[in-house]
Amino acid sequence: MFSLTYEFKLQPTKQQSETFLDWLEINRKVYNYALAERKDWYKSRSCQVNACSLRSEYIIPADTPRPTFASQCKALTAAKEQYLELKRVQSQVLQQTLKRLETAFVSMWERNFGFPRFKKVGQLRSFVFPQLGKEPLKPGYIKIPVIGWVKFRQSRDIPTDAILKQVRIIQRASGWYAMLTLQWNISVPQPMPYGEALGVDVGLMSFIAASNGLCVKRPKFFVDLQRQLKLLQQRVSHKKLGSNNWRKAQKKVQKLHEHIANTRKDFHWKVAHQLCDQAKTIFVEDLNLVGLSRGMLGKHCLDAGWGQFFQILEQCCFKHGIYFQKVDSRKTSQICPSCGTQTGKKDLSERVHVCENCSYTTDRDVAAAQVVLIRGCAAVGHTVKMLAEGKFIGVPAKQESHGF
Ligand SMILES: [Zn+2]
């Protein structure tokens, strides 16, 4: 079973886009309400017995269970009787928003993300339909529960042998979009590790580095775009809050944000293709395991840029029948890829790896990528040479592209 995501620009009627806006706002309120409930519960637990602060005056009984996705879904159903506006939105959509909050908490527990924040007006920009009715698609139209047929610009064909699993409606500066998740209930043969193998590491000096020496620099135009964004944001702050000019300036900021996101995505696809052209097997470091210990930016930064890139790289590999695997990335920068000796922690300014033991010398990012490659090969039980020569049991079937 595998799934793919297709995105299309919607062309809703005025009434439909008003409904979208209304639903976004109700979803935002539900999100914030559920977050407040969870937050209160945490506060009531963290309050010291002998130092009960004024702000924690409300008392939540000690045996109150921690709010969960299930308990909040139940509470939501009950709240509908009291808050009639909740009835305007399809229940499943609101439940998905509660699930999103649950996911934010899981990320906090498991991945050390920050405590989820309240969403201000306009900060919740999408909602999800986890299920669609029968035959939800016809050329140029998608049938959205409750809302009905919505027109969209069909920029590419939608495979007919797949099931439309879910639809996410997103508001962007340039309008409304639908993200369609299509699922095939067949098992696709996974490519086997074989052929030229490549280790890929997020770089310190460059965007990414590969074990064959390829280093991709961060493109300079991002710096220019960021500068432009800062300028526009300054302009917003000089306008009177809520005025017409303020709104216009705000709109410009949002448009640029969208442009930056699109440009970044294009860049990620370009790099992914470049890597896929050079290998049959690709190992990357598992970002979930990269801590702040590497003296790099926060995890959020890691996830914003490289997280998306690795996702795209995985898709690209899948398309081209390239074996893709994440490997443990701890201490990649402290190990010599040539002899395996663990060296001391490298200073941020050290740009070159020089091994004290075997005197192997190379770019520090490339060295880390080579360690990723060695670990990846070990993880699949082969050596780099074995993969390249195909000397292992089970020669992979000829890979075919999956036709998209
Ligand atoms: Zn060495």
Side-chain angles (χ1 to χ4, degrees):
M1 192 160 73
F2 69 103
S3 55
L4 284 173
T5 309
Y6 284 62
E7 192 177 304
F8 297 105
K9 189 167 198 300
L10 291 172
Q11 295 165 309
T13 63
K14 195 160 175 273
Q15 201 193 347
Q16 285 169 339
S17 58
E18 273 166 14
T19 308
F20 286 158
L21 266 182
D22 181 45
W23 283 32
L24 266 189
E25 183 58 12
I26 295 171
N27 272 286
R28 184 181 75 88
K29 283 181 185 163
V30 166
Y31 184 93
N32 282 347
Y33 183 88
L35 173 56
E37 192 188 30
R38 286 176 180 243
K39 219 171 178 175
D40 286 349
W41 186 89
Y42 274 96
K43 265 196 211 154
S44 75
R45 300 299 112 154
S46 61
C47 180
Q48 300 284 317
V49 181
N50 56 352
C52 204
S53 64
L54 282 172
R55 67 178 170 86
S56 303
E57 246 176 33
Y58 50 85
I59 304 293
I60 294 178
D63 57 353
T64 307
R66 180 175 62 79
T68 60
F69 171 61
S71 79
Q72 295 198 312
C73 278
K74 225 172 142 188
L76 180 68
T77 313
K80 280 191 171 179
E81 296 313 313
Q82 200 181 343
Y83 304 99
L84 292 176
E85 62 172 10
L86 292 178
K87 285 189 176 173
R88 291 209 293 268
V89 186
Q90 203 209 25
S91 309
Q92 287 181 325
V93 172
L94 292 176
Q95 283 172 8
Q96 286 302 306
T97 296
L98 290 178
K99 189 158 226 170
R100 181 168 168 181
L101 180 66
E102 170 80 8
T103 309
F105 272 86
V106 172
S107 297
M108 176 181 79
W109 295 321
E110 291 180 357
R111 303 177 66 185
N112 263 331
F113 279 20
F115 202 95
R117 290 174 182 225
F118 290 109
K119 306 257 184 217
K120 291 182 195 158
V121 177
Q123 276 185 349
L124 191 107
R125 307 179 76 92
S126 74
F127 51 85
V128 177
F129 292 91
Q131 221 173 17
L132 287 115
K134 266 187 188 160
E135 293 182 26
L137 291 167
K138 65 182 182 188
Y141 283 90
I142 175 164
K143 194 174 190 180
I144 294 174
V146 184
I147 293 169
W149 290 104
V150 180
K151 204 173 164 193
F152 70 95
R153 199 158 65 209
Q154 192 160 347
S155 42
R156 56 199 280 209
D157 285 338
I158 302 170
T160 48
D161 56 340
I163 302 161
L164 182 51
K165 217 48 202 163
Q166 68 163 47
V167 173
R168 181 181 285 276
I169 306 290
I170 307 165
Q171 185 189 32
R172 298 227 168 87
S174 57
W176 294 95
Y177 290 81
M179 235 161 138
L180 277 50
T181 305
L182 296 171
Q183 208 174 67
W184 283 260
N185 287 325
I186 48 164
S187 59
V188 177
Q190 269 298 309
M192 298 256 296
Y194 76 109
E196 204 67 38
L198 211 56
V200 179
D201 190 63
V202 305
L204 196 62
M205 254 62 78
S206 39
F207 174 66
I208 54 114
S211 53
N212 63 357
L214 173 79
C215 289
V216 179
K217 294 265 166 275
R218 274 186 205 82
K220 198 190 157 287
F221 55 77
F222 278 125
V223 181
D224 297 338
L225 285 171
Q226 291 298 343
R227 203 173 289 144
Q228 213 179 325
L229 184 66
K230 218 170 182 178
L231 202 81
L232 287 179
Q233 279 166 335
Q234 271 169 8
R235 263 182 220 162
V236 172
S237 64
H238 291 150
K239 303 273 189 287
K240 200 172 152 238
L241 197 76
S243 69
N244 247 342
N245 281 333
W246 175 83
R247 235 182 297 268
K248 268 186 216 158
Q250 189 84 313
K251 185 95 187 168
K252 272 188 190 160
V253 169
Q254 286 167 0
K255 278 215 162 132
L256 188 59
H257 265 302
E258 197 181 334
H259 174 65
I260 292 173
N262 289 340
T263 315
R264 181 182 292 125
K265 212 170 187 180
D266 285 347
F267 167 66
H268 287 169
W269 271 108
K270 232 163 117 186
V271 177
H273 276 123
Q274 199 178 346
L275 290 169
C276 284
D277 281 346
Q278 301 183 12
K280 288 277 171 243
T281 295
I282 292 181
F283 299 109
V284 302
E285 57 176 344
D286 189 345
L287 286 182
N288 284 340
L289 300 169
V290 185
L292 294 162
S293 58
R294 296 184 73 183
M296 304 216 299
L297 314 145
K299 267 189 176 177
H300 277 295
C301 283
L302 280 176
D303 267 77
W306 286 299
Q308 178 184 283
F309 170 67
F310 282 162
Q311 252 173 26
I312 285 175
L313 180 60
E314 190 172 1
Q315 283 177 45
C316 196
C317 285
F318 177 74
K319 266 195 197 177
H320 295 102
I322 289 166
Y323 182 84
F324 175 93
Q325 189 174 325
K326 290 180 179 174
V327 297
D328 187 347
S329 54
R330 274 168 288 193
K331 291 189 178 164
T332 45
S333 60
Q334 296 173 44
I335 289 168
C336 171
S338 175
C339 67
T341 307
Q342 186 170 336
T343 57
K345 220 171 170 178
K346 283 192 186 74
D347 201 69
L348 287 185
S349 60
E350 283 177 60
R351 299 184 168 225
V352 181
H353 165 88
V354 185
C355 180
E356 292 160 0
N357 185 39
C358 70
S359 68
Y360 177 68
T361 307
T362 187
D363 179 276
R364 78 173 271 167
D365 292 338
V366 172
Q370 286 169 348
V371 175
V372 169
L373 173 63
I374 292 164
R375 281 198 188 154
C377 289
V380 297
H382 303 300
T383 62
V384 181
K385 210 171 157 227
M386 277 160 78
L387 286 177
E389 294 170 356
K391 278 183 192 159
F392 55 91
I393 308 155
V395 176
K398 196 178 175 298
Q399 294 301 323
E400 281 166 32
S401 97
H402 297 291
F404 53 90

